[in-house]
Amino acid sequence: MSGLNEEQVMLRDAAKAWVDDKSPVAALRRLRDQGSQTGFDPAAWREMGEMGWTGVVIPEAYGGSEFGYRSLGLILEETGRTLTASPLLSTALIAASALNLGGTAAQKEAWLPKIAAAEIVAGLAVDEHPHHDPARTALAATREGDGFRLDGAKTFVAEGLAADLLIVAARTSGEPGEASGLTLFLVEGAADGLVRRRLQLIDSRGAADLAFTGVRVPAEAVLGEVDRGFDLLETVLDRARAGLAAEMIGTATQAFETTLDYLKNRTQFGQAIGAFQALQHRAAKMFTEIEMARSCVYAALDAIDANANDVRALASLAKAKACDTLHLVSNEMVQMHGGIGMTDAHDAGLYLKRARVAEALYGSASWHRDRYATLLGF
Amino acid sequence: MSGLNEEQVMLRDAAKAWVDDKSPVAALRRLRDQGSQTGFDPAAWREMGEMGWTGVVIPEAYGGSEFGYRSLGLILEETGRTLTASPLLSTALIAASALNLGGTAAQKEAWLPKIAAAEIVAGLAVDEHPHHDPARTALAATREGDGFRLDGAKTFVAEGLAADLLIVAARTSGEPGEASGLTLFLVEGAADGLVRRRLQLIDSRGAADLAFTGVRVPAEAVLGEVDRGFDLLETVLDRARAGLAAEMIGTATQAFETTLDYLKNRTQFGQAIGAFQALQHRAAKMFTEIEMARSCVYAALDAIDANANDVRALASLAKAKACDTLHLVSNEMVQMHGGIGMTDAHDAGLYLKRARVAEALYGSASWHRDRYATLLGF
Amino acid sequence: MADLETFRAEVRDWLAANYPASLNAPMSEDEAPWGGRKMVWKNPDAKLWLERMGARGWTAPTWPKDYGGGGLSAEEARVLSQELARIHARPALMSFGIWMLGPVLLEYATEDQKRRFLPPIVRGEIRWCQGYSEPGAGSDLASLQTRAEDRGDHFLINGQKVWTSYADQADWIFCLVRTDTTKKHEGISFVLFDMTSPGVEARPIKLISGSSPFCETFFDNVKVPKDQLVGKLNGGWEIAKRLLQYERQNISAGGFGGGAGLELEEVAKGYVGLRAGKLADADLRARIAAHKMDAKAFALTVRRAETESKAAKGPSPAVSIIKYAAASLNQAKHELMLEAMGTKGLGWDGEGFAPEEIRETRAWLRSKGNSIEGGTSEVNLNVIAKRVLGLLDHQ
Amino acid sequence: MADLETFRAEVRDWLAANYPASLNAPMSEDEAPWGGRKMVWKNPDAKLWLERMGARGWTAPTWPKDYGGGGLSAEEARVLSQELARIHARPALMSFGIWMLGPVLLEYATEDQKRRFLPPIVRGEIRWCQGYSEPGAGSDLASLQTRAEDRGDHFLINGQKVWTSYADQADWIFCLVRTDTTKKHEGISFVLFDMTSPGVEARPIKLISGSSPFCETFFDNVKVPKDQLVGKLNGGWEIAKRLLQYERQNISAGGFGGGAGLELEEVAKGYVGLRAGKLADADLRARIAAHKMDAKAFALTVRRAETESKAAKGPSPAVSIIKYAAASLNQAKHELMLEAMGTKGLGWDGEGFAPEEIRETRAWLRSKGNSIEGGTSEVNLNVIAKRVLGLLDHQ
């Protein structure tokens, strides 16, 4: 590891120590078996706030450290290793980015310090269909008096049940499928007319479907510009994709290392199964994929920090490679563990289940390949 | 092998014996090194006629045996094993099919006996672009007096240089890209205004580009119906695809068996390299692919013989699977032979080169996957 | 042939008279007719159907009548199976006893053992489970450690099995035990015993899909009378392998089922949508098309292998690839299904997901076992390489 | 840093004064500046450029001045390389002597040997080839059989090498020979000799791409003075391995070139066409997009490995995958290129094909060697599994 400054090395090491101690895979299993509604442990979330993780991309003026996305990525990579369930990505990366990038001074003042202090949970409500497609947004925002009323539905909203603040993509003009005519709104979780239904996903984390029926918001709830929200949304989503990809690389790395340990220790036919060349080559190929995907994730995060002009392409690259890599590694984890990997008592199933949810979130590999090709002009 | 009747077993065994004796891979190498213009050996072609191979899909009334496509497929599979270069596919399968399916009694009488006797070489001129696409035909057939004049160009015409008879897809109405408006014509190789240019392809077989400038043909040269040639063309092409796939399966099988021999005999690190598990698994996967593709090829040929209603889908299936399988096996043949496989003196390169030409001819795997999905309605 | 057509007419008449009309409704998963002492029949007609078929021996049509079987020729059995398929009859009995144990008993058991054990299998009265795998002996089955000590008139069995399918539902077990610790393959014996014997305990294993079809099975000083040894002492490995062949044939012939029975491209059309007649996600469309081609190629290969095996009176080379290909394809299908369903394929339970969506998600998880159970894909590839392709063992 | 900037200014001035203007035109393949006695200079300025660079030792910038090198620090060498890149300078010299032999001579050779062999390498006067592989010793290099018998003041060498790159163009060879037949690795020595020595014959091997960059090389009683042994007698394997590391680094850093230098997606657009802004073949488009992503991931990985290696003062784990990934990706690129070109990618020669089409087709054929030469992909995967991942050898 390198290219990291001292703060980053400290952050990463602290994150590693914390997840090993406070948030091993058993913590997720416990949340699941206890039937947690929100899908995360409030105490762990508070500790994340105390360690400053929630303020890593927030300016100092609003209570953050502004270490940047690469730094937050290091933390997410570590939490991804142990499948740590928390609102870190939704709140401290996605919502914080949206406010940073699109918020007025008043909006920032109102929300960023609370995020930095882990006082609130926030989430992004974008998709309305089984497949990610921001331009397809139909949820209607109709002008009413000085404000707007929102009517429609969102699905698959990460932390949607627990969120105190929702950033909602809505259509103020145009037709579903068009990029123009979108507007982002800040909506409080407790808003009248908003009904939230918990989704029990295979990864046991917090997610919800949201129904908006005449939800009224003032003009000040608009984040960014009316009708011109698509660019801001994509810019926020690219940060979400890169951050999620960082988490996924952590997940893939741990899944691989756990499998590698098993290959070294499980014996069959008088040898460690890791001595069989076919498994060795598959392991070497997985390692190759992981290292290649890792490079993409770091490059995307660095590009965001540098405000480079290829963030769009690099975010799609990072997410697509993270998807393909985690898909491969999570399948191989089960297969190489054999029968034991099929049991609920083993962690392999938890990695597999988290993998598919993360693959679908904010665009599948297929979706990002299409976007990448379009960005490259073919 | 089974499901074969006695005639088929005899045909196959005779074909096997003949290619081993008269047409090993060295025969193709000799043609290549001698700079053969037509890309085949006329003496070998005459022998094919004498053995009755040229009449296998031709009715007895026209001098054939009418054994059917499965039978001709068996022969093509054997010739494919040793990369035998001959006009068998173009003439005895494709042109014979076109005449059988679309010809008037007079047209059949004029040409089928000559094909059955291997007295002529015939070819199908369909494509005009680097990628197979019959509907994109632009070559213009304009009515002139009782007949037509042809203007335009064809490319990648198998046996195009040697052909005494060409079956030419032309546009009598509509626009390139439309299925309607196509008409097939019988054009003699010696026709005025037809200029043929040999293409030196990597597989060293006969192929040509054709330029038509005011080539005049009588009304009797129309094969099938004017403007309604597309269905006939596709029906002929599906036979071409299944027959070519049979040849390709033969090529893949031999490439695999040659490689398997090498795995058993080449030693490194004190063992036959075929004892290394990673190579064993790759060999087992190749074998699996070959057997699956073989099933598709046989099913397509059987469906043609049975005049079944799923010939279109099965022909695309057979060609696509044959393409993917031969692609894989030809690459693995070079890789598993190591350095020796990279030398011109070894046969691996010849298999690789033939593979890519056969992959492109009458539709790539990609093209057939698209067609298959369309046929299945998605 | 005339005789066969007479037989066919008889079968038709009998089925018309004996197949209960109430069974024409689709069979739900919990109605699977496994038989045995613990079977709870949701529909009494299903029990009746088993009794009628069992009485004629048609649950095991080609077994000799002496042992309760149908005594049919292979041709007659095919006619029976065609006629059952014609009326879409439910299976009268699903049974490891018929699929796996019976064939090896017919080959290796004593006359007394055959008369004792086969008829209750045919009638579905005794349900069997398979005591093969152990925690340390998966692909390397012969390294098993469950001990059977010779105590004069009985064996005393101690040890642990794992992946025992439905051990908690079974009445008896056929079990591999170690009777000689000084040899590996030549120290294994094949014994049968009652799961209600003192000292037997079966604990269901919960799988990643949430279901528990397998158990850990513990043996603590279980007494097994010596007349329940099949074949020779220390000669069990040969029987074990033969039985595995029957098991693999059974898996191969049936392929891997499960899931909501939806067609992949229909699911994709529903969740992804069409654009100009083609799936809106072109990348996914290409991969689904490739998969549909592979699936068709597989189906054609199964059919070809059957035809060729019949013609050659021996297995076609294509047979060897079937278990491996079936597992790969079923897994690929479920991955594509999940991908096509998007976020609707990611539900575990509760509101927001249709029952068939949840079922498909569970089936996807279940399919991960296809390449592990009944011989891993790695072992299958080894077998193809060595036995079919003639490649050597690594030295 | 001030010193470095001073150095940079000096380099700029020197380049401005010394880089021949006529070399600003693109370099064709037959202009590659391999140097040596047999070099035919198409452009005399290229020779001048080599002489000028060689005189300063900048063809081997970090080698000590005593041996003809530039005597630069690593930082200075980087500045030199940046400045050369800035003006898009052609390489003054391409040389196995600099890339492979020189570094091991610096480490293992005697003072006399260094003074004798290194300066002509720096000046490009002697072109070297590598005598490693033999017909029976490919991936298992140490099983080589070429014998060197001790004849008092010289070795007598008999045997055959294969895959000797440009042996027919080289002046000298560094060669692995067997000096002890009773041991495998410990019986190998590393010797240098002149290719004009009596008994040496190099026969070019024609490849599937039509070119002949490699030779079979025969040694028939070739006399080699003992002072041309590098390192210890029977101690050549260590040197051989070290040299391979330099070779792989060199392959990795450069990646695999060749081809007409066309961008894949541009080629596809040209031959396949666009429909509504997307490649008309949606299946191919998806695969090209996936490949472009892999290629970008690879480029980012090479860059990351460099940064991390520098920071850690040792190789990053990512380094190990680079040769394997480079070969796979280059082959995948050429396959896609060929597919995109359709029938235009299938020409060998003659009319009907543009020169860049033929060049691409030949490059596709050439790329098949990427996963074989300089360590097969299979060996690379073994190395990753064993050295990086710590998996055991099969027993």
Side-chain angles (χ1 to χ4, degrees):
Chain A
M1 185 72 57
S2 87
L4 299 186
N5 60 35
E6 239 176 275
E7 285 149 5
Q8 289 173 326
V9 171
M10 279 176 57
L11 263 184
R12 187 201 56 196
D13 292 350
K16 196 177 207 64
W18 184 84
V19 299
D20 286 350
D21 181 30
K22 299 293 186 67
S23 182
V25 181
L28 174 71
R29 194 179 283 281
R30 205 158 48 233
L31 281 170
R32 180 192 74 167
D33 294 344
Q34 290 166 350
S36 163
Q37 294 292 303
T38 58
F40 68 89
D41 173 3
W45 175 233
R46 269 194 306 276
E47 289 188 36
M48 289 183 177
E50 286 158 15
M51 292 183 290
W53 295 1
T54 43
V56 174
V57 302
I58 293 177
E60 293 184 19
Y62 300 108
S65 63
E66 212 173 352
F67 284 159
Y69 288 86
R70 181 78 164 83
S71 298
L72 190 47
L74 291 170
I75 296 169
L76 287 163
E77 192 176 334
E78 294 304 324
T79 61
R81 276 183 170 263
T82 60
L83 304 177
T84 299
S86 88
L88 191 63
L89 181 72
S90 284
T91 309
L93 193 148
I94 302 175
S97 295
L99 288 158
N100 268 338
L101 292 160
T104 61
Q107 289 169 332
K108 291 180 185 173
E109 191 57 58
W111 296 110
L112 286 177
K114 288 182 179 159
I115 290 176
E119 281 170 20
I120 62 159
V121 166
L124 175 68
V126 52
D127 282 309
E128 305 177 10
H129 298 278
H131 292 274
H132 181 64
D133 194 350
R136 221 180 145 189
T137 295
L139 185 141
T142 323
R143 282 195 191 269
E144 202 179 73
D146 281 350
F148 294 84
R149 61 170 279 172
L150 307 182
D151 294 277
K154 293 287 177 185
T155 187
F156 203 58
V157 179
E159 319 305 340
L161 199 72
D164 304 290
L165 173 66
L166 289 157
I167 294 159
V168 180
R171 185 158 290 285
T172 36
S173 68
E175 295 297 321
E178 293 174 8
S180 73
L182 291 193
T183 307
L184 299 188
F185 291 91
L186 299 175
V187 180
E188 300 201 27
D192 283 343
L194 171 60
V195 177
R196 306 196 267 189
R197 183 173 63 186
R198 176 186 173 215
L199 287 178
Q200 284 181 254
L201 300 184
I202 49 177
D203 70 347
S204 308
R205 296 213 192 171
D209 278 353
L210 311 181
F212 293 76
T213 314
V215 174
R216 283 169 180 77
V217 291
E220 295 75 45
V222 171
L223 188 72
E225 291 181 73
V226 173
D227 281 351
R228 295 190 184 164
F230 185 76
D231 263 358
L232 173 59
L233 177 60
E234 278 287 58
T235 304
V236 172
L237 278 168
D238 280 331
R239 279 144 185 80
R241 291 157 183 154
L244 177 56
E247 185 190 321
M248 292 168 79
I249 275 299
T251 305
T253 302
Q254 186 59 55
F256 178 67
E257 289 178 6
T258 300
T259 304
L260 202 56
D261 276 349
Y262 191 75
L263 292 180
K264 290 175 185 175
N265 292 311
R266 168 76 170 174
T267 60
Q268 290 278 276
F269 306 105
Q271 345 217 1
I273 59 174
F276 290 101
Q277 197 196 28
L279 295 184
Q280 290 188 342
H281 281 199
R282 278 156 60 185
K285 286 175 187 176
M286 273 194 274
F287 177 73
T288 303
E289 290 301 321
I290 291 170
E291 289 304 312
M292 304 248 287
R294 185 188 307 286
S295 307
C296 299
V297 170
Y298 294 173
L301 294 166
D302 283 342
I304 293 168
D305 282 327
N307 208 13
N309 58 14
D310 55 353
V311 167
R312 290 254 186 292
L314 285 172
S316 275
L317 175 68
K319 181 65 182 8
K321 291 298 297 173
C323 284
D324 286 345
T325 301
L326 183 53
H327 189 94
L328 170 72
V329 176
S330 60
N331 275 338
E332 286 282 47
M333 185 184 200
V334 175
Q335 179 66 22
M336 289 186 174
H337 277 86
I340 195 77
M342 284 295 292
T343 64
D344 184 71
H346 192 271
D347 289 343
L350 299 177
Y351 280 86
L352 181 69
K353 290 165 178 171
R354 173 57 188 166
R356 294 302 177 278
V357 174
E359 286 173 51
L361 197 57
Y362 310 131
S364 66
S366 181
W367 193 86
H368 283 290
R369 276 194 293 271
D370 177 69
R371 185 177 187 242
Y372 194 76
T374 301
L375 289 167
L376 263 64
F378 70 93
Chain B
M1 184 73 58
S2 88
L4 300 186
N5 61 34
E6 238 175 275
E7 283 149 6
Q8 289 173 326
V9 171
M10 279 176 57
L11 265 184
R12 186 201 56 197
D13 292 349
K16 196 178 207 62
W18 184 84
V19 299
D20 285 350
D21 181 30
K22 299 293 187 66
S23 182
V25 181
L28 174 71
R29 193 179 283 281
R30 204 158 48 232
L31 281 171
R32 180 192 74 168
D33 294 345
Q34 290 166 351
S36 163
Q37 293 293 303
T38 58
F40 68 90
D41 173 2
W45 175 232
R46 269 194 305 276
E47 289 188 36
M48 289 184 177
E50 285 158 15
M51 291 183 289
W53 295 2
T54 43
V56 174
V57 301
I58 292 176
E60 292 184 19
Y62 300 108
S65 63
E66 211 172 354
F67 285 158
Y69 288 86
R70 181 77 164 82
S71 299
L72 189 47
L74 292 170
I75 296 168
L76 287 163
E77 192 176 334
E78 294 304 324
T79 61
R81 276 182 170 264
T82 60
L83 304 178
T84 298
S86 87
L88 191 62
L89 181 72
S90 283
T91 308
L93 193 149
I94 301 175
S97 295
L99 287 158
N100 268 340
L101 291 161
T104 61
Q107 288 170 332
K108 290 180 185 174
E109 190 58 57
W111 296 110
L112 286 176
K114 288 182 179 159
I115 290 176
E119 280 170 19
I120 62 159
V121 166
L124 175 67
V126 53
D127 282 308
E128 305 176 10
H129 298 277
H131 292 274
H132 180 62
D133 195 349
R136 221 180 145 189
T137 295
L139 185 140
T142 322
R143 283 196 191 267
E144 202 179 74
D146 281 349
F148 294 82
R149 60 170 281 170
L150 308 182
D151 294 276
K154 293 288 176 184
T155 188
F156 203 56
V157 180
E159 319 306 340
L161 199 72
D164 304 291
L165 174 66
L166 289 157
I167 295 160
V168 180
R171 185 159 289 285
T172 35
S173 69
E175 294 297 322
E178 293 174 8
S180 73
L182 290 193
T183 307
L184 299 188
F185 290 91
L186 299 175
V187 180
E188 299 201 28
D192 282 344
L194 170 59
V195 176
R196 306 194 269 189
R197 183 174 62 187
R198 177 187 172 212
L199 287 178
Q200 283 182 255
L201 299 184
I202 49 176
D203 70 347
S204 308
R205 295 212 192 172
D209 278 354
L210 312 182
F212 295 76
T213 314
V215 174
R216 282 168 180 80
V217 291
E220 296 75 44
V222 171
L223 189 71
E225 291 180 73
V226 172
D227 280 351
R228 295 191 183 161
F230 185 77
D231 264 359
L232 173 59
L233 177 60
E234 278 287 57
T235 305
V236 171
L237 278 169
D238 280 331
R239 280 145 186 79
R241 289 155 184 157
L244 177 57
E247 185 190 322
M248 292 168 79
I249 274 299
T251 305
T253 303
Q254 186 59 55
F256 178 66
E257 290 178 7
T258 299
T259 305
L260 202 55
D261 276 348
Y262 190 75
L263 292 180
K264 290 176 185 175
N265 292 310
R266 167 78 171 174
T267 59
Q268 289 280 274
F269 305 105
Q271 344 215 3
I273 58 174
F276 289 100
Q277 197 195 30
L279 295 184
Q280 291 187 341
H281 282 198
R282 277 156 60 185
K285 285 176 187 175
M286 272 195 275
F287 177 73
T288 303
E289 290 300 321
I290 291 171
E291 288 304 312
M292 303 247 288
R294 185 188 307 287
S295 308
C296 299
V297 170
Y298 294 174
L301 293 166
D302 284 341
I304 293 168
D305 282 328
N307 209 13
N309 58 15
D310 56 352
V311 167
R312 290 255 186 292
L314 285 172
S316 275
L317 176 67
K319 181 67 185 0
K321 291 299 296 174
C323 285
D324 286 345
T325 301
L326 184 53
H327 189 94
L328 170 72
V329 175
S330 60
N331 275 338
E332 286 282 48
M333 185 184 199
V334 175
Q335 179 66 21
M336 289 186 173
H337 277 86
I340 196 78
M342 283 295 291
T343 63
D344 185 71
H346 192 272
D347 289 343
L350 299 176
Y351 279 86
L352 181 69
K353 290 165 178 169
R354 173 58 189 165
R356 295 303 177 276
V357 174
E359 286 173 53
L361 197 57
Y362 310 131
S364 67
S366 182
W367 192 86
H368 283 290
R369 276 195 294 271
D370 176 70
R371 185 177 187 242
Y372 193 78
T374 301
L375 288 166
L376 264 64
F378 70 93
Chain C
M1 290 301 264
D3 283 355
L4 270 191
E5 288 315 304
T6 312
F7 177 70
R8 186 184 301 276
E10 284 171 22
V11 171
R12 284 196 189 189
D13 289 348
W14 187 84
L15 287 178
N18 288 282
Y19 187 68
S22 74
L23 301 189
N24 285 322
M27 183 173 86
S28 65
E29 215 165 308
D30 59 354
E31 286 184 295
W34 288 106
R37 299 175 196 142
K38 297 182 186 168
M39 182 75 196
V40 178
W41 296 96
K42 272 183 67 176
N43 178 345
D45 279 353
K47 183 161 183 278
L48 187 65
W49 173 229
L50 169 58
E51 285 165 358
R52 287 174 178 170
M53 285 285 281
R56 299 208 66 150
W58 284 1
T59 48
T62 61
W63 293 8
K65 286 200 166 177
D66 283 357
Y67 310 129
L72 302 187
S73 68
E75 290 74 23
E76 288 169 332
R78 193 150 46 237
V79 166
L80 172 61
S81 134
Q82 286 163 354
E83 291 305 312
L84 287 165
R86 200 179 50 81
I87 65 164
H88 304 290
R90 293 188 188 182
L93 179 62
M94 292 165 64
S95 162
F96 294 165
I98 288 175
W99 298 333
M100 301 185 214
L101 178 61
V104 303
L105 289 184
L106 283 169
E107 193 170 350
Y108 293 97
T110 64
E111 184 61 24
D112 281 352
Q113 288 173 329
K114 290 181 197 171
R115 291 189 181 274
R116 176 177 173 197
F117 293 113
L118 292 173
I121 289 177
V122 174
R123 294 191 301 265
E125 291 164 4
I126 294 296
R127 180 173 180 179
W128 289 82
C129 64
Q130 176 184 32
Y132 268 44
S133 292
E134 298 184 4
S139 290
D140 185 10
L141 180 58
S143 65
L144 60 91
Q145 299 297 330
T146 293
R147 282 295 310 279
E149 285 173 71
D150 189 334
R151 292 292 177 95
D153 66 336
H154 67 271
F155 295 107
L156 195 68
I157 298 189
N158 281 286
Q160 183 191 346
K161 295 287 172 183
V162 74
W163 309 119
T164 331
S165 301
Y166 304 111
D168 54 337
Q169 304 296 323
D171 305 307
W172 277 63
I173 187 168
F174 48 92
C175 193
L176 297 181
V177 293
R178 180 156 301 288
T179 40
D180 184 340
T181 54
T182 64
K183 291 168 185 153
K184 188 172 178 181
H185 297 85
E186 296 78 16
I188 293 170
S189 297
F190 189 100
V191 297
L192 314 174
F193 55 92
D194 194 318
M195 290 292 280
T196 61
S197 309
V200 176
E201 188 193 355
R203 293 184 204 151
I205 302 168
K206 190 171 167 197
L207 295 188
I208 57 176
S209 59
S211 68
S212 301
F214 303 108
C215 293
E216 294 182 289
T217 311
F218 299 89
F219 310 125
D220 179 18
N221 287 327
V222 179
K223 286 187 186 177
V224 175
K226 281 198 164 168
D227 63 357
Q228 290 168 210
L229 168 74
V230 179
K232 295 197 190 111
L233 188 71
N234 296 323
W237 184 244
E238 182 188 336
I239 307 178
K241 280 192 301 181
R242 186 63 58 97
L243 190 141
L244 281 178
Q245 286 179 352
Y246 289 111
E247 179 181 0
R248 278 174 201 165
Q249 269 179 23
N250 185 50
I251 290 178
S252 302
F256 292 101
L262 310 165
E263 276 296 321
L264 177 53
E265 69 270 30
E266 296 306 321
V267 169
K269 281 198 260 185
Y271 289 87
V272 177
L274 295 174
R275 195 174 297 154
K278 299 184 175 187
L279 268 190
D281 182 337
D283 184 312
L284 180 61
R285 175 176 184 263
R287 288 179 290 122
I288 289 179
H291 172 73
K292 293 293 292 185
M293 284 187 159
D294 286 342
K296 180 75 176 176
F298 176 71
L300 292 169
T301 302
V302 170
R303 200 201 299 166
R304 181 167 68 89
E306 281 169 10
T307 315
E308 292 183 358
S309 298
K310 213 183 298 168
K313 303 206 192 311
S316 143
V319 167
S320 64
I321 65 172
I322 287 179
K323 162 72 169 68
Y324 163 69
S328 307
L329 283 167
N330 196 49
Q331 293 177 335
K333 183 187 87 175
H334 284 294
E335 284 291 357
L336 286 167
M337 197 75 96
L338 206 78
E339 183 177 345
M341 288 164 67
T343 56
K344 289 292 186 187
L346 301 173
W348 180 252
D349 210 346
E351 287 184 275
F353 301 97
E356 63 270 23
E357 289 169 344
I358 298 286
R359 206 148 57 228
E360 175 47 44
T361 305
R362 304 282 182 120
W364 159 71
L365 286 162
R366 177 67 189 80
S367 75
K368 296 297 166 198
N370 298 162
S371 49
I372 298 169
E373 61 206 329
T376 64
S377 286
E378 287 78 10
V379 166
N380 282 316
L381 290 171
N382 286 344
V383 168
I384 298 171
K386 286 172 184 137
R387 305 225 187 116
V388 183
L389 305 181
L391 293 169
L392 296 174
D393 259 322
H394 196 287
Q395 294 308 305
Chain D
M1 289 302 265
D3 284 352
L4 269 191
E5 289 314 304
T6 312
F7 177 70
R8 187 184 299 277
E10 284 171 21
V11 170
R12 284 197 190 189
D13 290 347
W14 186 85
L15 287 178
N18 288 282
Y19 186 68
S22 72
L23 301 189
N24 285 322
M27 182 172 85
S28 65
E29 215 165 308
D30 59 354
E31 287 185 294
W34 288 105
R37 298 175 196 142
K38 297 181 186 168
M39 181 76 195
V40 179
W41 297 95
K42 272 182 66 177
N43 178 345
D45 279 353
K47 184 161 182 278
L48 187 66
W49 172 228
L50 169 58
E51 285 165 358
R52 287 174 177 169
M53 285 286 281
R56 298 207 66 147
W58 284 1
T59 49
T62 60
W63 293 7
K65 286 199 167 178
D66 282 356
Y67 310 129
L72 303 187
S73 69
E75 290 72 24
E76 287 169 332
R78 194 151 44 239
V79 167
L80 173 60
S81 134
Q82 286 162 353
E83 291 304 313
L84 286 164
R86 199 180 50 82
I87 65 163
H88 304 290
R90 292 188 189 183
L93 179 63
M94 293 165 64
S95 162
F96 295 165
I98 289 175
W99 298 333
M100 302 185 213
L101 178 63
V104 303
L105 288 185
L106 284 169
E107 193 169 350
Y108 293 97
T110 62
E111 184 62 23
D112 280 352
Q113 288 173 330
K114 290 180 196 171
R115 291 190 181 273
R116 175 175 172 197
F117 294 112
L118 291 173
I121 289 176
V122 174
R123 294 192 301 266
E125 291 164 2
I126 294 296
R127 180 173 180 179
W128 288 84
C129 65
Q130 176 185 32
Y132 268 42
S133 292
E134 297 185 5
S139 289
D140 185 10
L141 180 59
S143 65
L144 60 92
Q145 299 299 329
T146 293
R147 281 297 310 281
E149 284 172 72
D150 188 332
R151 292 293 177 93
D153 66 335
H154 67 272
F155 295 109
L156 195 68
I157 297 189
N158 280 285
Q160 182 190 346
K161 295 287 172 183
V162 74
W163 309 121
T164 331
S165 301
Y166 305 110
D168 54 336
Q169 304 297 322
D171 305 308
W172 277 64
I173 186 168
F174 49 92
C175 192
L176 298 181
V177 293
R178 182 155 299 289
T179 39
D180 184 341
T181 56
T182 64
K183 290 168 185 152
K184 189 172 179 181
H185 297 85
E186 295 78 16
I188 293 170
S189 297
F190 189 101
V191 298
L192 314 174
F193 55 92
D194 194 317
M195 289 292 280
T196 60
S197 310
V200 176
E201 188 193 355
R203 292 185 203 151
I205 302 169
K206 191 172 167 196
L207 294 188
I208 58 176
S209 59
S211 68
S212 301
F214 304 108
C215 293
E216 293 181 289
T217 312
F218 300 89
F219 308 125
D220 179 19
N221 287 326
V222 179
K223 285 187 186 177
V224 174
K226 280 198 164 167
D227 63 358
Q228 289 169 209
L229 168 75
V230 179
K232 295 198 190 112
L233 188 71
N234 296 322
W237 184 244
E238 182 188 337
I239 306 178
K241 280 192 301 181
R242 186 63 58 97
L243 190 142
L244 281 176
Q245 286 179 352
Y246 289 111
E247 179 181 0
R248 279 175 200 163
Q249 269 177 25
N250 184 50
I251 290 179
S252 302
F256 292 101
L262 311 165
E263 275 297 321
L264 177 53
E265 69 271 29
E266 295 306 320
V267 169
K269 282 197 258 185
Y271 289 87
V272 176
L274 296 174
R275 196 174 297 154
K278 299 183 175 188
L279 267 191
D281 182 337
D283 183 311
L284 179 62
R285 176 178 184 263
R287 288 179 290 121
I288 290 178
H291 172 74
K292 294 292 292 186
M293 284 188 159
D294 286 341
K296 181 75 177 175
F298 175 72
L300 292 169
T301 302
V302 170
R303 200 202 298 166
R304 181 167 68 89
E306 280 169 11
T307 315
E308 291 183 359
S309 299
K310 213 183 298 166
K313 304 208 192 307
S316 144
V319 167
S320 65
I321 66 172
I322 286 179
K323 163 70 169 69
Y324 164 69
S328 307
L329 284 167
N330 196 49
Q331 292 177 335
K333 184 187 86 175
H334 284 294
E335 285 290 356
L336 286 167
M337 197 75 96
L338 206 77
E339 184 178 344
M341 287 164 68
T343 55
K344 289 293 186 186
L346 302 173
W348 180 252
D349 209 346
E351 287 183 274
F353 301 97
E356 62 269 24
E357 289 168 345
I358 298 286
R359 205 146 59 226
E360 175 47 43
T361 305
R362 305 280 182 119
W364 159 71
L365 285 163
R366 178 66 189 80
S367 75
K368 297 298 165 198
N370 297 161
S371 50
I372 297 170
E373 61 206 328
T376 64
S377 285
E378 288 78 10
V379 166
N380 282 315
L381 290 170
N382 286 344
V383 168
I384 297 171
K386 288 174 183 136
R387 305 225 186 115
V388 183
L389 305 180
L391 293 169
L392 295 174
D393 259 323
H394 195 286
Q395 293 308 305

